[in-house]
Amino acid sequence: EHIFQTSGDVYVPKGVDVPSLTRTIRWTFSPSNIKEGQPVTGGDVIGIIYENEIIDSHKILCPPNVYGTVTKINTTASDGK
């Protein structure tokens, strides 16, 4: 939706720089099959959110060049609060 408002097209045109998810909406996060104490690295799926009717499962990935160990997993909720 934000891409369409910025560019007038539902596809991401070359050179458009928008966040992949709108930062003003509280998304409901569902953790994937990761466990506390498990190592994660760039590209690992750490959970999913429901985005809209077209994209029903938006995967949340560990960012590239980031690695570490999972210390806490919040249950299914919006932002763990």
Side-chain angles (χ1 to χ4, degrees):
E1 182 179 337
H2 192 67
I3 294 169
F4 178 76
Q5 291 171 349
T6 302
S7 68
D9 197 352
V10 294
Y11 300 104
V12 183
K14 186 176 182 179
V16 171
D17 184 24
V18 293
S20 52
L21 289 174
T22 304
R23 306 286 185 196
T24 57
I25 296 175
R26 296 190 113 177
W27 303 99
T28 302
F29 176 77
S30 298
S32 66
N33 295 331
I34 59 174
K35 308 276 187 248
E36 289 183 7
Q38 178 179 341
V40 291
T41 186
D44 289 347
V45 178
I46 58 174
I48 61 169
I49 62 148
Y50 173 82
E51 188 172 348
N52 57 39
E53 295 81 25
I54 298 171
I55 303 170
D56 61 348
S57 62
H58 185 112
K59 294 178 183 174
I60 306 300
L61 306 175
C62 183
N65 302 321
V66 172
Y67 61 92
T69 303
V70 177
T71 57
K72 183 176 180 181
I73 301 172
N74 290 317
T75 57
T76 303
S78 73
D79 75 7
K81 295 183 179 176

